[in-house]
Amino acid sequence: QVNLVASGGASVQAGGSLTISCGNPGGTSRFWCMAWFRQASGQEREGVATLITSPRTTTYADFAKGRFTISRDIAKNTLYLQMNNLKPEDTGMYYCAAGASGSCSTVGTPYNYWSQGTQVTVSS
């Protein structure tokens, strides 16, 4: 059974940092690819980052490069997204996804499992 649970969202000041997490009680080792997405109010969902377990490969949306880091702790069954130098435009609901078919991408890849969202609010 898969039950992705995202957590760690909070309200932070611009320039601050935040790490959000995504866990699955049944473990995450079965997922060769995991990803983070976000959706701002009134806007389309957009991809943030992906992580392939082996070979370890990460990809980032342009807005995330240099500021965000996706990582994974297999032993803790947890996927993380560390976000630094946060901006007001980073505000939104963040979701993790797993169970990709085909390529590991945030565009065009169907994911079978999604977490509920965790809210990140960045104030100026």
Side-chain angles (χ1 to χ4, degrees):
Q1 185 175 357
V2 178
N3 182 26
L4 298 179
V5 179
S7 62
S11 295
V12 298
Q13 294 284 327
S17 298
L18 186 67
T19 298
I20 56 177
S21 304
C22 174
N24 178 44
T28 60
S29 61
R30 60 185 282 189
F31 303 123
W32 66 279
C33 165
M34 297 189 74
W36 284 101
F37 290 80
R38 71 182 188 183
Q39 186 169 21
S41 179
Q43 297 188 23
E44 296 283 322
R45 185 177 65 198
E46 62 180 349
V48 178
T50 65
L51 184 149
I52 296 175
T53 302
S54 181
R56 184 163 170 24
T57 307
T58 57
T59 66
Y60 296 91
D62 286 343
F63 64 80
K65 291 177 181 176
R67 298 191 300 128
F68 293 5
T69 302
I70 186 172
S71 63
R72 184 170 174 179
D73 188 327
I74 296 293
K76 294 183 178 180
N77 300 323
T78 304
L79 178 76
Y80 300 99
L81 184 68
Q82 180 181 350
M83 301 179 286
N84 298 322
N85 190 23
L86 283 161
K87 305 175 181 180
E89 52 263 43
D90 293 319
T91 294
M93 195 72 78
Y94 284 69
Y95 304 86
C96 67
S101 299
S103 64
C104 185
S105 172
T106 57
V107 178
T109 295
Y111 288 86
N112 291 321
Y113 308 109
W114 291 85
S115 69
Q116 91 296 353
T118 186
Q119 178 69 38
V120 174
T121 302
V122 184
S123 56
S124 57

